[in-house]
Amino acid sequence: MFAFTQLRLAFRNLGRNRLRTCLALAAIGMAQFALLASAGFGNGYARATVDAITGPMMGHVQVHAVGFRKEHGMEQRIVGAGRAVAAIRRLPGTQSASARVLTPAMLGVGDQGYAALVVGLDVRVERAAGLLADVEVSPGDDGVLLGAALAKLTRAKVGDRVAIVGQALDGSIANDLFVVRGVLNTSVDRINQSGLVMKLDRAQALFGMDAEDAAHEIIVRGQDPNQARELGDAVRAIPDLRGTDVTAWQQAAPELVSMIEMTKGFSFVVLVLVMLAAAAGVANTMLMTTYERSHELGVLMAIGTTPGRLVRLILAEAGALGMAGVFAGTLAGLVAVYGIFRDGVRLGDTSALSFGGLKYQSAIYPSLTVTDVTIGVAAVVLTSVSCALWPALSISRLEPSEAMRS
Amino acid sequence: MRWSYQRAVVYFLLSFAFIFVTRRAFAQEAPDIGKTSFKLDDLYRSNHSRGTMRLRIVKPERTTELVMEVWTRNQNRALVVVSKPARDKGAATLRIDENLWQYLPRISRTMRLPPSMMLSAWMGSDFTNDDLVHANSFQNDFNGRVVGRSQSPPGWLLRYEAKQGKPGLWARIDVVVNDDGTLPFQSKYYDRQNQLARTMTFSDVREFDGRKLPAKLSLQSTAHPERHTELIYDRLSFKDPVPDRVFSISELEARR
């Protein structure tokens, strides 16, 4: 009851000079809006980056033979890949798992050769969530999909018969003819520039890896990319994969992880700016309010209001000002993130934009967490109350007669 | 017995002559760098050559051996055709000037290797496609000098440093040659960061058509010590002319 009375008094006092109060509210509200917008965009950007990293090429967890990540040697393979994939799929945290053959080769179009990379993969799994997501064409048993840039370079068209030549596992020359079944435009630069995508079993047969059911890579996707390390630990414990190199995406792409961490640092900078804006708005308002009402506050003290109660009254005003401003800013921020930019913030044509060999989506979808909102609210309220403390204490220390005279 | 003056002089002169000759015999003279460089460039070359060689790729898991017929003309034409094993029989590599072509009988296709694949392995070995096209010229591409005697292997150590402005993979090649500078024992190749990249060893010297040549070349890559490649000449002839038509794509495809 007592607190409610103080709050009523606080809001009434704030309403005495509406213009000044509105300006302070606007400053605080804008700061909170900026914080939420930046956090929302940062969250969306971080998620887009994680999706770009883990989505089509890398997955959440990768399994390779030791040394393959550095040397990409044909002999550095996982034997019995099918059995290993089946075991990984039985793990509780696994959403999907698939094996790939990855080996350099020469693509022959007409009488001209071109450096290329053969990617043999499980078409069904990769179409659901992988390299062939949103790709309608299939390589089929005798076909291959060409990366868009490679197709453009070679002028190969759908229906053309092309040669693929490489080194088989037994040292012989792997070579065969394939039909171009489609052109791929993925978010992975490397695939677009030199990718030759074919069915996994076809690639195994071409390079003599079928007898061992061998593959160069197993890609695992879990429920949550942030749980990749735990999933990697579970994969590493599978007996069929003892002695292999199991890496979570954070370990496979540390430079991209650093980029995501940078956005968090940026959010902290914005938070500091928000607090400064709140401090400036509240400090100015409370200073003016307190010293303008010295006479009134002196009267209150003269009729028995204790200094402590006076301080609480002024702090309540500051708190109410901060709360009102942050509430308005939060509302605006939520409307912006989940209303106006619900369909994403368009970045324009990002087809030529890539980082770390990965293309980004053309839109960022902002999102907020409870923590994002709470941090702003707490920071503003704390700042508001802190800024009002000094004028409140200085007034409360005055003699009532002195206060009434000022 | 009393020594006569004349007898003493004769003995003195004979002794002096003996010492002089034996000292000359034991003092080894360094080979002439110009002549040695020419010899190294010309080691397996001539206006024409044809032969049979084996390419043995030794890896921890398996050893692969290809038997190949080879024809060369001057220094810018070469044809290599695989005759064994059966699965690769007929596969061929044709060099015409700076270009390399590969023919595969199974798919009846001839393809020109792109420049981006010049550093790729040739036939899966430690030799690269670039080795076939851009053989180093010690005379033209390097400044050579005699460093001194080598202990292992024993011989003369020659140092060839790449000339300024000359493109190529190697900043330096150290070659150990025999005493008269006519045969190499070992070559060490240093890349542009001056790191030892690979070592070539020459052995099994035999006579081919009147020429003494190392029949076996072993190439060891520093980056992959677990494997190496051997090139063994079983037969090499320099006398029979090789017609120009051998080095053509149509001839290549007609071999199937």
Side-chain angles (χ1 to χ4, degrees), chain A residues 71 75 77 104-116 161-165 167-177 206 212, chain B residues 57 59 61-62 64 66 82 87-88 91 101-102 104-107 109-117 121-125 223-224 226-227:
Chain A
E71 296 173 15
E75 300 87 6
R77 68 218 184 269
M106 180 169 69
L107 170 69
V109 180
D111 62 358
Q112 189 61 40
Y114 301 89
R161 196 167 278 271
V162 297
I164 295 178
V165 181
Q167 200 69 35
L169 190 58
D170 62 358
S172 64
I173 304 169
N175 62 108
D176 210 341
L177 294 173
L206 175 64
E212 290 180 339
Chain B
I57 304 155
K59 293 181 182 176
E61 286 191 12
R62 66 176 62 85
T64 309
L66 300 167
V82 177
R87 63 173 184 246
D88 292 329
W101 301 83
Q102 189 166 29
L104 295 157
R106 182 171 175 273
I107 55 175
R109 284 280 187 114
T110 306
M111 288 161 285
R112 183 173 157 268
L113 266 70
S116 55
M117 292 189 75
W122 176 61
M123 296 286 186
S125 72
H224 297 283
E226 75 282 1
R227 70 174 201 230

Side-chain angles (χ1 to χ4, degrees), chain B residues 88-104:
Chain B
D88 292 329
K89 186 175 179 179
T93 305
L94 171 67
R95 180 201 162 179
I96 302 174
D97 297 323
E98 304 283 299
N99 297 308
L100 266 188
W101 301 83
Q102 189 166 29
Y103 172 70
L104 295 157

Side-chain angles (χ1 to χ4, degrees), chain A residues 336-353:
Chain A
V337 168
Y338 290 109
I340 299 170
F341 299 113
R342 186 182 51 215
D343 296 329
V345 177
R346 297 279 150 197
L347 300 177
D349 181 12
T350 57
S351 56
L353 179 69

Side-chain angles (χ1 to χ4, degrees), chain A residues 3-347:
Chain A
F4 178 67
T5 307
Q6 284 214 310
L7 266 177
R8 276 183 62 192
L9 280 170
F11 276 110
R12 193 190 70 180
N13 289 333
L14 286 175
R16 285 185 180 185
N17 191 329
R18 289 182 186 170
L19 179 62
R20 187 166 60 209
T21 300
C22 284
L23 286 173
L25 283 175
I28 297 166
M30 286 291 291
Q32 174 68 351
F33 170 77
L35 177 68
L36 291 182
S38 131
F41 191 84
N43 291 340
Y45 177 78
R47 195 173 61 247
T49 303
V50 172
D51 286 347
I53 297 168
T54 64
M57 196 69 190
M58 200 176 287
H60 297 167
V61 173
Q62 297 183 322
V63 184
H64 301 105
V66 171
F68 179 82
R69 284 202 297 141
K70 192 178 169 193
E71 296 173 15
H72 300 276
M74 167 57 79
E75 300 87 6
Q76 289 156 332
R77 68 218 184 269
I78 303 163
V79 175
R83 200 170 56 243
V85 166
I88 293 171
R89 284 176 182 165
R90 287 193 290 270
L91 291 175
T94 304
Q95 198 174 60
S96 71
S98 61
R100 289 177 181 160
V101 165
L102 291 171
T103 186
M106 180 169 69
L107 170 69
V109 180
D111 62 358
Q112 189 61 40
Y114 301 89
L117 173 73
V118 167
V119 182
L121 43 73
D122 184 328
V123 173
R124 184 187 59 81
V125 173
E126 299 273 358
R127 188 173 274 162
L131 209 51
L132 299 184
D134 304 326
V135 172
E136 290 177 3
V137 289
S138 170
D141 288 329
D142 66 342
V144 69
L145 305 178
L146 260 61
L150 181 61
K152 189 177 174 185
L153 174 70
T154 61
R155 296 184 190 168
K157 297 183 296 299
V158 174
D160 285 352
R161 196 167 278 271
V162 297
I164 295 178
V165 181
Q167 200 69 35
L169 190 58
D170 62 358
S172 64
I173 304 169
N175 62 108
D176 210 341
L177 294 173
F178 291 80
V179 177
V180 178
R181 293 291 179 203
V183 174
L184 278 179
N185 209 336
T186 69
S187 59
V188 184
D189 274 349
R190 198 174 166 210
I191 299 299
N192 296 338
Q193 298 291 335
S194 58
L196 297 171
V197 174
M198 62 176 70
K199 286 176 73 176
L200 174 65
D201 54 357
R202 194 67 186 85
Q204 287 174 319
L206 175 64
F207 295 104
M209 299 170 75
D210 45 348
E212 290 180 339
D213 186 24
H216 292 114
E217 181 173 87
I218 296 175
I219 295 296
V220 186
R221 287 184 182 80
Q223 311 289 342
D224 179 2
N226 294 319
Q227 300 296 316
R229 285 197 168 99
E230 290 77 7
L231 182 59
D233 290 339
V235 169
R236 205 173 284 116
I238 295 174
D240 283 326
L241 293 174
R242 292 257 161 79
T244 57
D245 178 19
V246 179
T247 43
W249 67 270
Q250 294 97 329
Q251 296 160 291
E255 68 284 355
L256 294 171
V257 172
S258 300
M259 212 167 74
I260 296 169
E261 293 297 321
M262 251 171 45
T263 60
K264 291 181 186 167
F266 179 71
S267 294
F268 177 75
V269 169
V270 175
L271 178 66
V272 169
L273 291 174
V274 163
M275 289 174 70
L276 286 174
V282 169
N284 176 60
T285 303
M286 293 317 298
L287 268 172
M288 295 298 292
T289 306
T290 308
Y291 287 113
E292 273 174 4
R293 293 185 293 148
S294 298
H295 177 83
E296 177 190 324
L297 296 173
V299 168
L300 283 174
M301 283 195 289
I303 61 172
T305 306
T306 61
R309 194 171 169 182
L310 203 65
V311 167
R312 285 196 297 275
L313 178 65
I314 295 170
L315 293 182
E317 282 180 35
L321 182 65
M323 285 291 292
V326 84
F327 177 77
T330 300
L331 202 63
L334 289 172
V335 166
V337 168
Y338 290 109
I340 299 170
F341 299 113
R342 186 182 51 215
D343 296 329
V345 177
R346 297 279 150 197
L347 300 177

